[in-house]
Amino acid sequence: MNAIQHAVDLSVKPEVTAFFDAPTNTISYVVKDPGSNACAVIDSVMDIDYAAGRITYDSADAIIAHIRDRGLTLEWLIETHVHADHLSAAPYIQGKLGGRIGIGEQITVVQEVFGKVFSEGTEFRRDGSQFDRLFKDGDSYSIGGMRAFALHTPGHTPACMTHVIGDAAFVGDTLFMPDGGSARADFPGGDARTLFRSMRRILELPPQTRLFMCHDYGPNGREIRWESTVADERAHNIHVRDGMSEDDFVAMREARDKTLGMPRLILPSLQVNMRAGALPPAEPNGRVFLKLPVNAL
């Protein structure tokens, strides 16, 4: 794993507004440049009633209303990875507010794997071209006057990226809150040893760096939380705090993952998110269908 190439500018403190989606335990964020009206949206959620086959946009509309009410300009829609537990609303928000959709360059690996799982035809492009920007490890970009950079932090999926924006880092599905530990590593292309090294890479950021989680499940009944720091995680994370060995983590993570069922929305989520949040093409009758491959995962 490469060392962190960019200095973290702790003097830049983006304004972070969180939106918690209870059905999927996902936290989306609006990240505003403190020196301008520019902002980014990270890991937006599209609502789905899976049993009814109905898609709605209440969660996305709340983000859109927040941006419009504050007179902000949306420059980026960032996906930290191809989510397996919720559908992205990035193209819906982009259609209302503009901005560019970005994800890690290893999306092509995910598209190749799941293009086969869902028996997608040749019309499904596996080159990441559905996204406006494919981030390589260490790539930088701007949100107004803020400089942001992307770190490749795989292990949960091959395409996972952590986005560092000023004194804040958005870790996707790698770290959880200290009492939650870490994400699973048993999806296709996932690897527990790689995940451990990615998490330790994140924990090389300055101790006061704010860390924002993509998920929280309220362990032991506590209230939902989504913000920690590098120092907190290094001191208290139950899976990856200082002193925890890589081999012990791998043994624990692999044993735990064997007890976990698949996420409820994994099949619709992957079909949509590998397309940058777009639904599959309509059939000749005009209807859109999500596939249910049998015994494929």
Side-chain angles (χ1 to χ4, degrees):
M1 191 71 69
N2 294 330
I4 295 170
Q5 299 173 356
H6 298 280
V8 177
D9 189 349
L10 296 173
S11 70
V12 176
K13 301 183 183 300
E15 300 175 19
V16 180
T17 303
F19 296 79
F20 178 66
D21 180 63
T24 63
N25 289 85
T26 301
I27 304 98
S28 306
Y29 298 98
V30 174
V31 185
K32 178 189 175 297
D33 174 17
S36 74
N37 287 328
C39 72
V41 169
I42 297 180
D43 291 335
S44 61
V45 174
M46 177 166 62
D47 305 310
I48 182 170
D49 181 340
Y50 196 23
R54 184 174 297 110
I55 285 173
T56 54
Y57 296 96
D58 291 349
S59 297
D61 285 338
I63 291 174
I64 292 168
H66 172 83
I67 292 171
R68 284 177 170 165
D69 289 348
R70 298 196 63 195
L72 305 182
T73 300
L74 180 60
E75 295 189 350
W76 287 97
L77 298 113
I78 300 297
E79 299 293 329
T80 55
H81 63 292
V82 176
H83 305 277
D85 40 27
H86 72 269
L87 286 66
S88 169
Y92 175 80
I93 297 173
Q94 183 184 50
K96 302 288 186 180
L97 299 175
R100 301 176 69 193
I101 303 174
I103 199 168
E105 66 172 345
Q106 294 299 311
I107 177 61
T108 57
V109 176
V110 177
Q111 288 175 328
E112 186 64 34
V113 170
F114 288 103
K116 294 176 181 176
V117 168
F118 294 109
S119 193
E120 299 289 350
T122 56
E123 69 278 4
F124 173 61
R125 302 186 304 277
R126 295 159 169 82
D127 58 1
S129 58
Q130 301 88 343
F131 297 82
D132 300 309
R133 173 79 180 268
L134 301 183
F135 294 105
K136 297 180 180 179
D137 184 50
D139 275 357
S140 63
Y141 59 101
S142 297
I143 304 166
M146 289 193 300
R147 183 165 158 273
F149 63 92
L151 298 176
H152 187 212
T153 49
H156 175 66
T157 78
C160 289
M161 304 291 283
T162 291
H163 288 260
V164 183
I165 307 171
D167 76 335
F170 298 84
V171 301
D173 284 18
T174 50
L175 285 166
F176 288 168
M177 294 297 292
D179 59 347
S182 62
R184 64 195 298 167
D186 62 334
F187 293 153
D191 179 77
R193 194 168 299 278
T194 301
L195 178 62
F196 181 87
R197 296 174 183 177
S198 291
M199 292 188 294
R200 293 305 307 181
R201 189 184 193 201
I202 294 168
L203 297 182
E204 292 173 3
L205 293 165
Q208 57 270 60
T209 304
R210 294 182 290 162
L211 301 180
F212 291 91
M213 314 298 140
C214 186
H215 296 287
D216 187 66
Y217 300 93
N220 300 312
R222 69 151 167 76
E223 64 181 15
I224 298 296
R225 296 170 54 210
W226 47 76
E227 181 178 348
S228 183
T229 67
V230 167
D232 288 341
E233 298 285 351
R234 292 186 67 159
H236 303 297
N237 186 285
I238 59 173
H239 293 168
V240 73
R241 65 182 179 270
D242 290 353
M244 300 288 284
S245 78
E246 181 176 313
D247 287 342
D248 285 347
F249 171 81
V250 170
M252 177 281 302
R253 187 70 266 172
E254 290 181 347
R256 178 170 171 75
D257 287 348
K258 290 177 181 177
T259 72
L260 301 177
M262 284 291 106
R264 182 176 62 89
L265 296 178
I266 186 171
L267 294 175
S269 294
L270 292 173
Q271 290 173 80
V272 168
N273 295 340
M274 69 182 185
R275 292 179 163 89
L279 295 172
E283 297 292 331
N285 65 0
R287 290 188 175 274
V288 172
F289 291 86
L290 293 167
K291 296 177 181 178
L292 182 66
V294 176
N295 295 334
L297 296 180

